[in-house]
Amino acid sequence: MAPPAIIAPSILSADFAALGDACSRTIHQGADWLHIDIMDGHFVPNMTFGAPVVTTIRKHVDRPQTAGGKGTFDCHMMISEPKKWVTSFKGAGCECYTFHYEAAVSSTAATRPQDETSERTNPKDMIRYIHEVGMKAGIAIKPGTPVDVLYDVLDSRSENEVPDMVLVMTVEPGFGGQSFMAEMMPKVQELRKRYPDLNIEVDGGLSEKTVDQAAEAGANVIVAGSAVFGASDPGAVIQRLRDAVERRR
Ligand SMILES: O=C(CO)[C@H](O)[C@H](O)COP(=O)(O)O
């Protein structure tokens, strides 16, 4: 059986002027996690905010009582230098740090071989480092990246190098409110077939109209921004997203 449904509203679509209230309300409306999109204007063509803002919203949301429990801050790092911010985000109150495979691989290309931090910027070393710092580690792939690049980490014999979650992007990262790319579903199906216990997250264009396809393919962690924050009854939307996943477990 696939892992339980986890509904993670993306606060990218929340009112940034009232983020603390928006986050606390969303958790009370039934969200499991908060999906926090960090964009650097370089890895993606948009910018959001950094660790100081995460520190302030953490004050409005109780920390999870168990690993991966309600209130988990699921930080999606759409940034070119993911290693640089691991300790800051841990300090800010992030529990799950998801970096992009593409960013880790391009740092490993050793553009700065003498940089003493470069030895940690391949995917396995990044995952180990995030674990050592004390967070769950997620690894994300953009729509153009094939899923099989992840098998090396997912099949690692060292538990510390295995990600706790894979994020399959269902839009090009950078902006909320885009259309769901159903053509990403074979990646999810393949992952679910190979890794029955893995947390598989989908992000981009998820709504009551598209969640069935994601759930059918095997996704259990559903990120939804505009569908939740744009709804007149966000709690009902969260419940329907959850039901769609639970029906297929
Ligand atoms: O990572 C993201 C964009 O890069 C967002 O999390 C995502 O797009 C969610 O927004 P929506 O549900 O409105 O598509």
Side-chain angles (χ1 to χ4, degrees):
M1 205 199 269
I6 294 172
I7 309 302
S10 163
I11 67 169
L12 189 60
S13 299
D15 176 0
F16 276 19
L19 217 37
D21 283 349
C23 290
S24 133
R25 194 169 51 245
T26 305
I27 289 291
H28 287 116
Q29 285 164 338
D32 300 291
W33 295 357
L34 291 175
H35 184 84
I36 302 178
D37 285 311
I38 308 299
M39 305 184 186
D40 65 356
H42 184 257
F43 183 74
V44 289
N46 196 6
M47 291 176 82
T48 53
F49 48 78
V53 172
V54 177
T55 302
T56 62
I57 56 179
R58 182 82 269 178
K59 293 178 186 149
H60 294 259
V61 179
D62 291 339
R63 281 188 176 269
Q65 299 198 336
T66 53
K70 193 173 176 73
T72 290
F73 278 11
D74 167 32
C75 293
H76 175 195
M77 309 304 292
M78 287 167 270
I79 61 175
S80 295
E81 294 190 81
K83 184 185 170 232
K84 200 168 165 184
W85 303 102
V86 171
T87 53
S88 314
F89 274 74
K90 167 70 180 166
C94 164
E95 283 90 16
C96 181
Y97 189 96
T98 297
F99 66 96
H100 267 267
Y101 168 84
E102 301 85 0
V105 166
S106 73
S107 327
T108 311
T111 43
R112 291 175 299 167
Q114 60 284 69
D115 181 343
E116 31 97 13
T117 64
S118 64
E119 95 276 7
R120 283 195 190 274
T121 51
N122 73 64
K124 275 187 184 167
D125 288 342
M126 266 298 293
I127 293 164
R128 193 178 330 113
Y129 179 48
I130 295 165
H131 284 154
E132 281 165 9
V133 167
M135 292 182 286
K136 298 277 184 197
I139 185 164
I141 49 171
K142 290 172 36 167
T145 303
V147 71
D148 56 7
V149 300
L150 300 176
Y151 296 159
D152 187 39
V153 289
L154 287 164
D155 295 337
S156 172
R157 281 162 192 262
S158 165
E159 214 175 283
N160 232 5
E161 292 174 349
V162 177
D164 302 284
M165 180 170 79
V166 168
L167 164 53
V168 175
M169 286 304 297
T170 46
V171 295
E172 281 301 335
F175 300 92
Q178 303 182 72
S179 299
F180 177 74
M181 297 170 73
E183 62 272 32
M184 296 299 120
M185 292 306 97
K187 294 187 192 180
V188 175
Q189 278 163 351
E190 202 171 316
L191 282 171
R192 179 56 70 218
K193 207 164 131 203
R194 286 178 67 119
Y195 308 102
D197 301 328
L198 180 67
N199 273 326
I200 304 176
E201 181 173 62
V202 282
D203 178 12
L206 271 302
S207 69
E208 292 173 73
K209 288 194 183 130
T210 55
V211 68
D212 288 325
Q213 295 173 69
E216 194 67 53
N220 70 300
V221 186
I222 308 294
V223 175
S226 39
V228 170
F229 285 98
S232 53
D233 186 350
V237 174
I238 290 168
Q239 187 57 46
R240 288 196 285 267
L241 295 174
R242 184 187 310 288
D243 290 346
V245 175
E246 289 296 340
R247 269 199 301 276
R248 287 166 179 86
R249 286 183 66 219

